[in-house]
Amino acid sequence: MALIKYITDIEIEFGAIAKLPDACRAHGIKRPLIVTDAGIKAAGLLQHAVSALGDLPHAVYAETPSNPTEAAVRAATAIYKDAKCDGLIALGGGSSMDCGKGVAIAVAHDGPLKTYATIEGGSPKITPAVAPLIAVPTTSGTGSEVARGAIIIVDDGRKLGFHSWSLVPKVAICDPELTLNLPPALTAATGMDAIAHCMETFMAPPYNPPADGIALDGLARGWKHIETATADGSDRAARLAMMSASVQGAMAFQKGLGCVHSLSHSLGGVNPRLHHGTLNALFLPAVIRFNAGAASIQAEHRMSRMAYAMGLGDIPDSNAAAEAVANAVTAMNARLNLPTGLAALGVTAADFPAIIKGAMADHCHAMNPRLATPEDYTAMLNAAM
């Protein structure tokens, strides 16, 4: 069965942050907890959101780590309960939004967080009793503001996914103004994250034509504008296009992802200091080449359609199109000054067994158009080094 669901209320325009108090009122939130991180606070973006709230009482948790943990969820949950909050505002990148979703679960459900992880069979245990969440992205990458999932490192060290339609933010307030001062390196890494979402969900085999159309359009927008947004962060048209690409990637990836994400989720658990978007960018070329021969890829001419959306021309042959797309991603990574490979991040062959074990267990593994074996993952890791 193919479930097609689109998805939540999205405000996307410059100045959209001003609609934050209206969004709270619309969903009965009278005392929100703002979940964010120290960098957002230092950059003045937290104050921007607080000013928009006006006289609406609120509390703040500003210690979200770059890869959110169950410990961070517990700390934020304690503040939520102590301050008698009744809803959440997740302000920041994917980390803050994932942490906020973890809090939304924890304030309404008992037991350790892993109880509700997808691979533990926990998705049906997440009920509509979760705290209402409003998402305000300050990067253009994860698309978590319109997604039903969160990725959190639980107490046993695993980096697990949590998925439920109950976790979809009630409103996504997407204000490109909040991204104008994002540094070039972070603009590049988060932008490639959005592009990876568009590409990988387009390659995923489930039947969902609306998702395919949204993903292809998001890919075209992101690919056209990422270099401009990175080189000139003040370019408003490029910032709007990248925010749209981010939203579109996540609107589409309810269809599924694949080996790019099973690998990046796993490696992010092995080394939480590594940036998820950067890992996606580095894994993309190897996974594209691996996927080229999949029956669903060839039957739907998916490599050729991605090549066309990226401005690479009309390349009817699937293998030739895959090679062109993979080479273009590698060249884009270089132009954006992203790392040249996993080795530049300190990854070694000694890390491979743990990465592969995590990838095989990841919720994205089975959604790839070709089912990868441990040997396939080894080859992909070597290619990404």
Side-chain angles (χ1 to χ4, degrees):
M1 182 182 73
L3 174 65
I4 299 174
K5 191 174 178 72
Y6 288 98
I7 283 176
T8 192
D9 294 339
I10 303 168
E11 300 279 1
I12 181 167
E13 63 179 335
F14 283 90
I17 191 69
K19 298 181 179 180
L20 187 54
D22 291 340
C24 287
R25 282 190 288 270
H27 294 281
I29 301 174
K30 298 178 180 179
R31 187 182 295 272
L33 172 68
I34 303 174
V35 177
T36 189
D37 63 53
I40 296 298
K41 183 177 180 180
L45 298 178
L46 172 58
Q47 185 56 50
H48 205 43
V50 168
S51 296
L53 287 175
D55 60 1
L56 190 69
H58 63 274
V60 175
Y61 174 75
E63 304 300 328
T64 303
S66 56
N67 282 280
T69 62
E70 188 169 355
V73 169
R74 276 196 300 273
T77 298
I79 295 173
Y80 183 100
K81 291 180 176 179
D82 288 347
K84 295 181 171 55
C85 294
D86 56 6
L88 294 151
I89 296 170
L91 173 71
S95 298
S96 294
M97 283 183 266
D98 285 1
C99 188
K101 291 175 184 178
V103 177
I105 296 170
V107 298
H109 299 78
D110 295 328
L113 207 54
K114 68 179 181 181
T115 306
Y116 306 97
T118 301
I119 65 169
E120 298 283 347
S123 292
K125 300 175 185 177
I126 301 172
T127 73
V130 298
L133 172 67
I134 295 168
V136 186
T138 60
T139 65
S140 297
T142 71
S144 190
E145 62 273 10
V146 296
R148 70 188 191 280
I151 305 295
I152 298 169
I153 300 173
V154 297
D155 285 341
D156 63 18
R158 291 180 296 163
K159 192 171 189 178
L160 300 184
F162 299 78
H163 298 86
S164 169
W165 290 112
S166 296
L167 293 178
V168 176
K170 300 298 185 184
V171 183
I173 295 182
C174 303
D175 187 344
E177 190 86 34
L178 304 182
T179 70
L180 291 176
N181 293 320
L182 198 67
L186 198 53
T187 298
T190 55
M192 284 305 297
D193 193 17
I195 286 169
H197 291 156
C198 291
M199 295 178 79
E200 192 165 38
T201 197
F202 183 70
M203 290 187 284
Y207 183 78
N208 192 328
D212 288 343
I214 291 168
L216 271 188
D217 184 82
L219 171 59
R221 290 175 191 273
W223 193 260
K224 178 179 179 180
H225 290 280
I226 188 170
E227 287 184 89
T228 301
T230 301
D232 179 8
S234 65
D235 189 303
R236 294 169 72 86
R239 289 296 193 185
L240 177 59
M242 292 310 300
M243 184 153 277
S244 182
S246 177
V247 170
Q248 288 174 257
M251 289 177 72
F253 71 41
Q254 60 171 287
K255 179 189 169 199
L257 292 167
C259 288
V260 170
H261 279 76
S262 57
L263 283 165
S264 61
H265 289 159
S266 180
L267 180 48
V270 170
N271 186 346
R273 295 187 300 275
L274 300 180
H275 187 271
H276 176 72
T278 299
L279 296 180
N280 283 347
L282 296 182
F283 284 130
L284 259 175
V287 175
I288 288 166
R289 291 186 173 101
F290 175 71
N291 287 346
S296 62
I297 293 289
Q298 296 194 349
E300 297 287 336
H301 309 289
R302 293 191 181 275
M303 294 298 177
S304 300
R305 292 160 70 186
M306 285 198 299
Y308 191 83
M310 296 161 69
L312 304 179
D314 185 6
I315 309 175
D317 181 77
S318 181
N319 291 327
E323 194 63 23
V325 170
N327 288 337
V329 172
T330 298
M332 178 65 81
N333 289 342
R335 292 198 300 274
L336 295 173
N337 294 315
L338 291 172
T340 55
L342 297 177
L345 300 176
V347 178
T348 70
D351 298 314
F352 286 9
I355 299 168
I356 293 168
K357 180 180 179 182
M360 294 290 293
D362 189 77
H363 61 275
C364 293
H365 166 70
M367 299 304 297
N368 203 66
R370 286 182 67 190
L371 193 62
T373 65
E375 292 74 23
D376 293 325
Y377 276 128
T378 299
M380 286 184 262
L381 284 164
N382 279 318
M385 289 295 284

